[in-house]
Amino acid sequence: MTRPAAWLPLAAAGLAVAALVGLPFLTLAPNRLVPGSPVGSGLAGAAAGGLALLAALLLAGPARPWRARLALLAALAAWCALLVGAGQGAAGLLAGKPQAARAALGSGAWLAGLALTGLAGEAARAALPRRGGLVAALLLLGLVSLAAWAGLLGSLSLAVEYRVRAGAVGEAVLHHIGLAGASLLLALAVSAPLALLHLRDGPAARLVDGLVSGIQVVPALALFAALVAGLSGLLTLVPALRALGLSAIGPVPAVIGTAAYLCLPLVRGLAAGLAAADPDVLAAARAMGLTRRDVLLRVRLPLGAPLLWGALRVAAVQSVGFATLGGLVGAGGLGALIFEGMAQFAQDLILLGALPVIGLALAVDAGLALLAGPASGEEPA
C-alpha cells in the first residue's frame, strides 16, 4: 500500500472539524434571493468531525492495508453523516415555513465537504494505489446520488432550484458539451498545421508564437465583443453566409473565441511532442529512406505520444471551462445559467451552472488520463 504524507489526512480532518465548528452549516432565508441566517451543524457535524479524525489517525499510523481500508470507510461514513445532517437539517428548518423559504448549504458544509473529499481520496490512494483517487470519486458521487435518490437532500435549496429547472439544466449540459467539443475540434484543426510549422525554427515559428500568445492577453469580454462585431460586419458584406448557419450572436462566436484560447496550449504541446524524438533516431530514419511523411507518422508521433496526449488533455479540460463564456454572446450552455444567476443574485442558480462545469472538467480529465495510462505509463489519480 502507498502511505500518504502524515500531515495531509490530519490537515484535511482538522479543516473539516474547524469548518463544522466555526462556520455556518446551513442558512435559512425567507426566499431564494435574500441572504440567510446561519445555523450550526449540531450532532451531524460532531459525527462527521469525529469520523474524519478517526480516518486521519488511522492513516497517520503504521502503514497497514487494514488501516487504510478502515480509514476509507470512516471517511465515507463522515460523508454520509454530512449529507444526512444537511438534508434532514434543511427539512427541519423548513417545517412550518412558507413555501418560498430556502434552506441552503452554508460555507461550513461546503468547506467540510471539500476537506472530506480530500481525506477520502488520500485513504483510497493508500488502500488502492492503482486508481485509488478515481475509486474515491466514484464512491463519493455514488453516495451523493443515493442520498438524492432517497429524497434525503430534497429540502436543500439547490435541490429545489434543480427541480424547477431540471429540463433546462439537462439541455444546458448537452449544449455545453457540444460547444466544448466543437471548439476543441476547431482548435485542433488550426493548431496541428501551426505545430508542424513550429518545427522549423525560423521567422514563421516566431510569428506563430506571437499570434497564439497574443490572444491569451486579450480579455475574454473584449475578444468575444470583437468577434461579434467582426462577424456582424462580415455577414453584412456577404449575406449569403447566413444560409450556412453563421450568425454574429450564438454558438459561432463562442466556438471561435474558445478555440482561439485553446491554440496556445495545443500549438506548444503538439510542437513539443513532435520535437521529442532524438535527433539520432530521426537521422537513422532518414538514412533508411523514410520520407518526411513517414518520419512524422512512424517516428515523431509514436515517440511524442505522451506529450501530444498531454496537450490534448489540457486543451480538452480548458475547453469545458472556456465554453462557459459562450453565455456572454447568447450561445447557451451552462454559462447562460451562471450569468442568469449572477444577474438575479441567485446563488443556487449560479451553482446549478457551475457545479456541472466542474464535474464535466473533472470527468474529461479523468477519462483522458485513463485512456493515456496504458500508452504513456501514466497512472490516473
Side-chain angles (χ1 to χ4, degrees):
M1 61 172 282
T2 301
R3 180 176 178 174
W7 64 271
L8 281 176
L10 291 174
L15 179 60
V17 172
L20 292 169
V21 172
L23 295 174
F25 185 65
L26 295 170
T27 60
L28 178 63
N31 56 61
R32 65 193 285 265
L33 303 179
V34 178
S37 304
V39 179
S41 58
L43 291 178
L51 289 166
L53 289 174
L54 174 60
L57 291 174
L58 286 169
L59 289 176
R64 298 288 187 273
W66 64 269
R67 295 178 71 96
R69 297 189 188 102
L70 284 179
L72 179 58
L73 289 175
L76 294 176
W79 243 94
C80 289
L82 191 74
L83 289 175
V84 173
Q88 296 307 300
L93 290 174
L94 293 177
K97 297 291 191 299
Q99 188 175 1
R102 294 288 187 268
L105 292 172
S107 56
W110 287 109
L111 190 56
L114 180 63
L116 291 177
T117 299
L119 183 60
E122 289 298 320
R125 277 188 284 269
L128 303 167
R130 296 177 61 85
R131 301 178 182 175
L134 178 61
V135 171
L138 293 176
L139 287 173
L140 293 176
L141 182 60
L143 287 176
V144 174
S145 301
L146 182 62
W149 176 79
L152 297 176
L153 308 179
S155 298
L156 290 170
S157 61
L158 187 59
V160 175
E161 190 76 32
Y162 175 75
R163 285 198 297 270
V164 174
R165 297 174 175 266
V169 172
E171 292 179 4
V173 169
L174 294 177
H175 202 104
H176 197 92
I177 293 173
L179 289 174
S183 301
L184 182 60
L185 290 176
L186 177 59
L188 280 171
V190 173
S191 299
L194 294 180
L196 291 172
L197 186 62
H198 199 278
L199 287 177
R200 303 175 182 178
D201 189 14
R206 290 191 289 273
L207 177 62
V208 169
D209 266 341
L211 288 175
V212 297
S213 299
I215 292 174
Q216 302 297 313
V217 302
V218 179
L221 189 59
L223 177 62
F224 280 81
L227 284 172
V228 169
L231 287 171
S232 179
L234 178 62
L235 292 173
T236 301
L237 291 174
V238 190
L241 292 176
R242 296 183 187 275
L244 300 176
L246 296 180
S247 61
I249 296 292
V252 175
V255 169
I256 295 175
T258 302
Y261 281 121
L262 300 181
C263 283
L264 178 63
L266 277 176
V267 169
R268 291 192 174 175
L270 295 177
L274 294 175
D278 189 276
D280 292 336
V281 175
L282 296 175
R286 296 189 190 99
M288 294 173 59
L290 295 182
T291 64
R292 182 175 296 178
R293 180 173 178 272
D294 291 333
V295 170
L296 174 65
L297 297 178
R298 299 171 62 179
V299 179
R300 290 188 182 274
L301 289 181
L303 292 180
L307 290 175
L308 296 172
W309 195 262
L312 176 62
R313 182 178 170 186
V314 169
V317 173
Q318 287 187 342
S319 71
V320 175
F322 282 129
T324 306
L325 298 174
L328 294 170
V329 290
L334 293 167
L337 291 178
I338 294 173
F339 292 119
E340 182 183 351
M342 293 173 66
Q344 299 179 14
F345 299 99
Q347 175 183 340
D348 293 319
L349 186 53
I350 296 173
L351 289 173
L352 276 184
L355 291 177
V357 171
I358 296 172
L360 285 174
L362 292 175
V364 168
D365 183 64
L368 291 177
L370 283 174
L371 292 175
S376 64
E378 178 183 356
E379 288 295 338

